[in-house]
Amino acid sequence: MIIEGKNILLHGADYNPDQWLDCPDILAKDIELMKKSHINCVSVGIFAWSRLEPSEGVYDFDWLENIINELYKNGIYSLLATPSAAKPFWMTEKYPEVCFTDINGDQHHGGVRANFCMSSPVYREFVRKMDEALSERFGKNPAVIMWHIGNEFTSTKCYCDKCQHNFREWLKAKYGDIETLNKAWWTDFWAHRYTNFDEIHPPMPTGEPDMASLNLDWMRFTEDNTLDFIKMEVAAVRKYSSVPTTTNLMGFFEYNYTKLADAVDYISWDSYPFWHSGDDIKTAAETACTHDYMRAITKDKPFLLMESTPSSVNWSPVSKLKAPHVHYTASMQAIAHGSDSVQYFQWRKSRGSNEKFHGAVVDHFGGENRVFNDVRELGEKLEQYSEIAGSLFKSNIAFLFDHENRTAIKLSQGPRNCNDGYMELLFNFHAALWEKGVNTDIINMTQPFDGYKVIIAPMIYMMRGGVDEKIREFVKNGGICIMTVQSGWVDENDLSYLGGWPHGLMDVFGIWDEETDALWDNEFNSIVPNADFLSGEYQAERLCALIHANE
């Protein structure tokens, strides 16, 4: 990134000084250790709402301003977070409607994090007021180089009455009338015809949990609701500030993150591979694939590695430490795939509560140890490589990964209802090129194919966004497209295509998929090619298609 006219690779951490306000000696020590470890930025305020607004309408920003200014005096920038991910108890006790309602219809109490209803007008108003107040106070402060919007947004589904009402309004806007929805959802099956939108409820165990079209649209609504919430936060901090925005994503998590491409200025993500859990080469390959996915969401800027751990996490089945030098290697992998930062959760270990044993730069010992020295070594190197900050990748090959397609495969109720293999197939294809040093992008069906020579599209079961026509045009213009079994079966509403599979592309690929067999996990079939350029025998697992060459 270019900050104050200089190319800088960000090296930083989530910093929670609000946990240490009664320990000025520790706060002073933090700055000393940050400088020693070549930390040049910190994310602050992510979970500080109860300190920033200790009672309704009473803001206390003085402590935060003092810390941000002191950091800046010592060459350390701030990524200032909006605190919407965790709300204070005074709010939930007085306004319980801000809380999340689960799939069983039970409204939660305050506590944990991300435990809020994004449709709640009350919560949105509290968030807007907080964000605007932070923007007014810090929007022109040169120490603040970025707004960190919320934290780890996912497609968390709230089932409260307000969310259900908004879902029905979303459906009205999408389909226009109930008969169009009935046709799209194929509701004559099991007498599921609706006579008006008020009869529609989200997929719940007490109602209709399995209808794929209902589930898909509920997922899409929830994602759009989340996107609208993020845009509301961005607009609030924009009121007094032109500083760039980001929000930390979670790789291939259950969310269509490509929707966020235009909502924030920088894409960032939290990377926590399970090193030393079996096959480290496989772990590295899958992490590389996720870096490529994050990078390709916005192709005109580098992405940011917002969270990682220099040692261990505390939430995995076995929270294993990174071996010496693994932290350096994993961090430089992110830089090599296009990140302009290496940042950690967190700077200093908390003394108590949920993540007191989560890895950090400074542990409970409080001094310079092996992990601290690993971080210092990396910081020194990042300063030496600062000239590459802002570099962009040019990929000739792209993989089609589509979140909605993945969800549709899981909901398809056949041919396999376990271990569908979609992500494994993507990772395996990607690893084959990664091992050869070939750079690739990970795009979805709605993104442009321009500039690519090869498109690899594993298991595009759901063909949406006119992707069949995009593939046809891509091949017509000289591109190479590689597809696999279980492709071109359904449309965006999970309605099966008629007339043969792969839909719209049988002539392009020269094949007709007559039927597809599902194999048990311990069952295999063999492919024996009858071609001059292929020889030998190839093992097939999970799915086998009986295909015919078109005449």
Side-chain angles (χ1 to χ4, degrees), residues 96 99-110 115 117 157-161 164 204-206:
C99 291
F100 165 84
T101 297
D102 65 27
I103 195 171
N104 296 312
D106 296 326
Q107 187 179 64
H108 289 204
H109 299 292
N115 176 20
C117 171
K157 300 172 180 64
C158 175
Y159 294 79
C160 72
D161 290 342
Q164 295 201 37
M204 300 174 73
T206 53

Side-chain angles (χ1 to χ4, degrees), residues 413-474:
Q413 301 186 53
R416 281 185 64 98
N417 298 316
C418 62
N419 302 328
D420 58 65
Y422 178 56
M423 293 305 300
E424 183 177 345
L425 190 59
L426 172 67
F427 286 143
N428 286 344
F429 265 117
H430 182 275
L433 295 175
W434 173 77
E435 290 176 355
K436 299 292 185 182
V438 178
N439 184 54
T440 58
D441 287 343
I442 314 292
I443 64 175
N444 79 0
M445 296 182 194
T446 65
Q447 290 174 280
F449 294 177
D450 301 345
Y452 297 112
K453 295 180 179 179
V454 180
I455 298 288
I456 303 173
M459 289 175 68
I460 50 172
Y461 162 80
M462 171 184 281
M463 283 199 173
R464 68 185 189 94
V467 71
D468 55 329
E469 288 302 319
K470 288 173 67 175
I471 289 174
R472 176 182 296 277
E473 190 67 18
F474 177 73

Side-chain angles (χ1 to χ4, degrees), residues 171-468:
L171 292 172
K172 288 178 186 178
K174 178 176 181 178
Y175 293 104
D177 60 79
I178 199 66
E179 188 54 33
T180 301
L181 180 144
N182 279 320
K183 289 180 180 178
W185 287 10
W186 206 253
T187 56
D188 278 313
F189 190 82
W190 283 358
H192 276 15
R193 286 185 63 82
Y194 299 102
T195 60
N196 62 72
F197 285 96
D198 290 338
E199 296 170 357
I200 300 174
H201 297 275
M204 300 174 73
T206 53
E208 171 51 71
D210 297 324
M211 186 195 300
S213 301
L214 171 62
N215 276 274
L216 285 164
D217 272 343
W218 175 241
M219 174 199 72
R220 291 165 179 146
F221 157 74
T222 305
E223 291 175 346
D224 285 353
N225 199 32
T226 303
L227 178 60
D228 184 67
F229 187 90
I230 293 170
K231 287 182 175 179
M232 178 271 295
E233 288 216 64
V234 170
V237 299
R238 280 274 180 267
K239 186 168 184 178
Y240 301 101
S241 173
S242 59
V243 173
T245 59
T246 189
T247 187
N248 49 330
L249 312 184
M250 299 173 68
F252 286 107
F253 207 75
E254 296 289 342
Y255 189 100
N256 186 3
Y257 283 136
T258 54
K259 288 184 175 182
L260 293 176
D262 297 324
V264 293
D265 297 297
Y266 283 89
I267 293 298
S268 61
W269 83 286
D270 301 345
S271 178
Y272 294 104
F274 285 177
W275 299 108
H276 319 309
S277 61
D279 186 344
D280 277 351
I281 299 299
K282 180 180 179 183
T283 299
E286 292 180 0
T287 304
C289 186
T290 317
H291 286 321
D292 290 348
Y293 175 41
M294 294 292 103
R295 186 186 69 245
I297 292 176
T298 51
K299 299 177 67 175
D300 61 338
K301 298 184 184 77
F303 71 97
L304 302 175
L305 179 61
M306 182 60 69
E307 287 186 24
S308 60
T309 176
S311 54
S312 69
V313 297
N314 75 313
W315 38 259
S316 66
V318 176
S319 297
K320 192 169 182 61
L321 290 171
K322 287 181 178 176
H325 307 298
V326 169
H327 170 63
Y328 177 85
T329 303
S331 299
M332 293 309 295
Q333 181 188 37
I335 299 295
H337 280 264
S339 177
D340 259 10
S341 75
V342 175
Q343 299 174 79
Y344 315 113
F345 182 83
Q346 54 183 325
W347 166 254
R348 179 182 286 273
K349 284 185 178 180
S350 305
R351 286 201 66 190
S353 201
N354 296 40
E355 293 180 304
K356 62 183 178 293
F357 294 125
H358 194 289
V361 180
V362 179
D363 68 8
H364 298 128
F365 164 68
E368 301 175 38
N369 57 7
R370 180 186 69 85
V371 171
F372 181 89
N373 288 328
D374 282 352
V375 170
R376 174 164 48 194
E377 176 193 10
L378 176 66
E380 292 172 351
K381 290 294 184 182
L382 292 178
E383 288 180 357
Q384 295 174 21
Y385 299 145
S386 60
E387 71 275 4
I388 70 172
S391 300
L392 299 176
F393 277 77
K394 174 61 178 175
S395 302
N396 294 321
I397 300 175
F399 288 92
L400 277 190
F401 163 77
D402 195 278
H403 166 69
E404 292 191 18
N405 177 58
R406 176 174 64 172
T407 302
I409 291 173
K410 290 181 179 179
L411 294 167
S412 65
Q413 301 186 53
R416 281 185 64 98
N417 298 316
C418 62
N419 302 328
D420 58 65
Y422 178 56
M423 293 305 300
E424 183 177 345
L425 190 59
L426 172 67
F427 286 143
N428 286 344
F429 265 117
H430 182 275
L433 295 175
W434 173 77
E435 290 176 355
K436 299 292 185 182
V438 178
N439 184 54
T440 58
D441 287 343
I442 314 292
I443 64 175
N444 79 0
M445 296 182 194
T446 65
Q447 290 174 280
F449 294 177
D450 301 345
Y452 297 112
K453 295 180 179 179
V454 180
I455 298 288
I456 303 173
M459 289 175 68
I460 50 172
Y461 162 80
M462 171 184 281
M463 283 199 173
R464 68 185 189 94
V467 71
D468 55 329

Side-chain angles (χ1 to χ4, degrees), residues 493-511:
N493 296 308
D494 200 56
L495 292 184
S496 297
Y497 285 118
L498 305 179
W501 301 332
H503 167 75
L505 295 171
M506 288 188 292
D507 59 329
V508 174
F509 287 89
I511 60 167

